[in-house]
Amino acid sequence: MEKATTNNNTPFELTVKQGPPCLVPAAEETQKGLYFLSNLDQNIAVIVRTIYCFKSGDRGNDDVYGVVKDALSKILVHYYPLAGRLTVSSEMKLIVDCTGEGAVFVEAESECELGELGDITKPDPVTLGKLVYDFPGAKHVLEIPPLVAQVTKFKCGGFVLGLCMNHCMFDGIGAMEFVNGWGEIARGNLLKSPPFMDRTILKARNPPKIEFPHHEFAEIEDISTSHKEENNMLYRSFRFDSEKLEHLRETALADGTLKKCTTFEALSGFVWRARTEALDLKPDQETKLLFAVDGRSRFDPPIPNNYFGNAIVLTNALSRAGPLVENGPSFSVGLVQEAVRLVTDGYMRSAIDYFEATRARPSLASTLLITTWSRLSFGTTDFGWGPPVLSGPVALPEKEVILFLSHGREKKSINVLLGLPAPAMEKFEQLMEI
């Protein structure tokens, strides 16, 4: 990430003083015992760190700790597993022990101005990581509570809410419903849409029925030797405005192979092809694209909109690097479309059962995983200081991940965030010039 600089061009260093972590239990007595996590939750137990920056023209930050903390205790009544701790069940799966001990809350302060953070649309774990409380001694996810919140006051009157949440607790849509509901309560309102808590609706069938091939779990042999210098990774953000996105769509449709295509399909196909070319993979190197599809409306019957948990399913496309790069844009976009079409109720139930039978996790070898946050309602969170002036991830979870984030007030532009070894990034930057 390009560092923000002060007026005299010296690099800006964020200083944050963290107070001791405290536990915030639910405001009322809640259910105890073990809480089931589905196989869609098991597959995705990674820590996700996000920040939300707030600054109001007419309200300072004096009471922010109390407001956010009090609302947290109230929303935990509804989302009580977040006050528990992850453990391992007798079936050797992740499960939540609803101990009620509470979410972790940290009060922090910075002598800096919020504006000095600069462009947070590029992941910067060193700077932005100071705004999220970390557990440096944690050896695995079981040692990190499911929800950790840090509120950092800035001297300009603004503040940042930094969240550290385990993805096994909810997908992006569920997480945004939780954070927006938390803000609703902070503004003195009742929770409009309490969560649907029963994850057993996504239980595996007994016996499991694997009815589709599940290449998302396949381990691909890496036969390419180029650009292995991962210690020299560069992270960049590329903005695609509505004109560029429309241009990508038109280019994908130009040869008449495809009858229609969405912005997501056009952008995913373009980025997969460009990254493959930039990495200079051998022509017969197999490469895999993974991306999540929201299964809420695709399950039969549909999953409730306020479902607390992961209702996303990974789908996949496979191609050798040679055809992917040599063919026109309609080839890669067509593969993306086929991957979207795969996701039916039968396919998703088969994926749940596949994990039940094999305990396999999706492999990221020779893989690009696209995570789409561009449809998430980051901009609507309001704790009483108005919507966030900035929001986004602290870092990319893995080097194989590319993130699509919406940009601007109208949300018509998409920022593409990714990391590549330095030589590959140079080539990728050239391919982005459209």
Side-chain angles (χ1 to χ4, degrees):
M1 164 168 171
E2 295 158 15
K3 291 266 185 258
T5 54
T6 53
N7 291 338
N8 57 5
N9 276 343
T10 55
F12 161 69
E13 187 173 342
L14 177 66
T15 53
V16 174
K17 187 180 168 192
Q18 293 174 323
C22 70
L23 291 174
V24 178
E28 298 166 21
E29 192 63 32
T30 56
Q31 206 169 311
K32 299 294 185 285
L34 296 175
Y35 178 74
F36 172 82
L37 298 179
S38 84
N39 288 350
L40 297 184
D41 303 315
Q42 305 290 331
N43 257 337
I44 206 160
V46 295
I47 302 299
V48 180
R49 296 174 176 88
T50 48
I51 59 169
Y52 303 79
C53 308
F54 298 93
K55 192 171 188 312
S56 165
D58 51 11
R59 183 177 182 182
N61 60 17
D62 293 346
D63 59 344
V64 67
Y65 296 147
V67 170
V68 175
K69 197 170 166 182
D70 181 57
L72 176 58
S73 71
K74 288 174 180 167
I75 197 161
L76 286 175
V77 174
H78 303 278
Y79 287 88
Y80 62 88
L82 294 174
R85 294 296 179 265
L86 286 169
T87 186
V88 176
S89 72
S90 55
E91 295 181 323
M92 300 309 291
K93 286 185 183 179
L94 284 175
I95 197 165
V96 183
D97 185 3
C98 296
T99 57
E101 57 197 278
V104 175
F105 189 83
V106 176
E107 298 177 3
E109 282 184 77
S110 175
E111 286 302 306
C112 301
E113 304 270 340
L114 201 52
E116 290 179 278
L117 280 180
D119 181 7
I120 71 157
T121 63
K122 298 171 190 144
D124 182 5
V126 176
T127 300
L128 304 181
K130 296 174 184 177
L131 299 167
V132 180
Y133 186 75
D134 212 359
F135 288 80
K139 294 184 227 30
H140 46 70
V141 293
L142 296 181
E143 295 181 2
I144 301 174
L147 173 62
V148 181
Q150 176 178 317
V151 173
T152 307
K153 288 183 180 181
F154 282 72
K155 70 175 183 183
C156 58
F159 71 94
V160 172
L161 173 64
L163 296 179
C164 169
M165 300 194 284
N166 194 312
H167 208 315
C168 73
M169 299 310 291
F170 27 40
D171 55 24
I173 292 169
M176 288 313 309
E177 284 172 355
F178 165 72
V179 176
N180 287 344
W182 182 2
E184 240 176 90
I185 290 173
R187 298 196 313 275
N189 301 322
L190 293 172
L191 188 63
K192 275 197 203 97
S193 179
F196 179 88
M197 301 297 288
D198 183 12
R199 299 192 190 200
T200 62
I201 60 171
L202 294 182
K203 227 177 183 161
R205 294 168 290 197
N206 190 7
K209 285 196 287 190
I210 301 165
E211 299 165 314
F212 292 83
H214 288 284
H215 299 300
E216 63 270 33
F217 298 96
E219 191 82 35
I220 295 175
E221 187 190 354
D222 187 356
I223 61 168
S224 297
T225 52
S226 54
H227 301 321
K228 294 289 186 190
E229 56 276 29
E230 284 162 19
N231 55 346
N232 191 22
M233 294 285 283
L234 293 180
Y235 290 89
R236 293 283 183 270
S237 169
F238 299 90
R239 186 169 304 159
F240 289 80
D241 59 22
S242 52
E243 286 85 20
K244 269 190 179 177
L245 292 169
E246 186 53 35
H247 173 69
L248 288 182
R249 268 181 20 83
E250 287 169 359
T251 309
L253 296 169
D255 67 3
T257 308
L258 307 175
K259 297 288 168 276
K260 58 180 182 177
C261 89
T262 65
T263 296
F264 169 79
E265 291 161 355
L267 184 58
S268 298
F270 174 71
V271 169
W272 183 25
R273 187 173 174 233
R275 182 179 178 271
T276 303
E277 187 174 340
L279 284 169
D280 198 21
L281 300 181
K282 289 185 175 177
D284 53 350
Q285 169 71 62
E286 195 76 48
T287 170
K288 179 169 61 176
L289 174 68
L290 287 180
F291 56 91
V293 174
D294 179 19
R296 282 164 176 77
S297 63
R298 291 169 183 259
F299 276 105
D300 186 15
I303 299 295
N305 282 334
N306 53 347
Y307 177 73
F308 174 48
N310 286 278
I312 53 172
V313 178
L314 284 177
T315 185
N316 68 93
L318 292 170
S319 173
R320 283 181 298 114
L324 189 65
V325 171
E326 289 155 19
N327 280 300
S330 64
F331 180 77
S332 59
V333 174
L335 291 174
V336 174
Q337 290 186 342
E338 283 170 32
V340 174
R341 277 195 293 273
L342 268 180
V343 187
T344 60
D345 179 75
Y347 178 85
M348 295 187 290
R349 300 277 177 195
S350 176
I352 290 169
D353 291 1
Y354 187 95
F355 179 84
E356 191 70 17
T358 64
R359 298 300 170 90
R361 284 189 160 71
S363 167
L364 291 182
S366 296
T367 295
L368 168 61
L369 172 56
I370 292 178
T371 302
T372 309
W373 287 15
S374 49
R375 299 188 189 106
L376 301 181
S377 47
F378 276 104
T380 58
T381 304
D382 184 357
F383 286 85
W385 282 262
V389 287
L390 291 166
S391 60
V394 168
L396 293 173
E398 301 281 351
K399 68 181 187 308
E400 297 87 357
V401 173
I402 285 186
L403 202 53
F404 290 179
L405 277 168
S406 59
H407 179 82
R409 285 268 176 235
E410 309 262 310
K411 307 289 180 232
K412 285 183 180 165
S413 298
I414 293 178
N415 274 338
V416 174
L417 278 58
L418 80 157
L420 282 171
M425 183 60 85
E426 197 177 322
K427 190 166 183 184
F428 188 84
E429 285 177 328
Q430 291 166 3
L431 293 168
M432 290 300 102
E433 290 168 10
I434 57 166

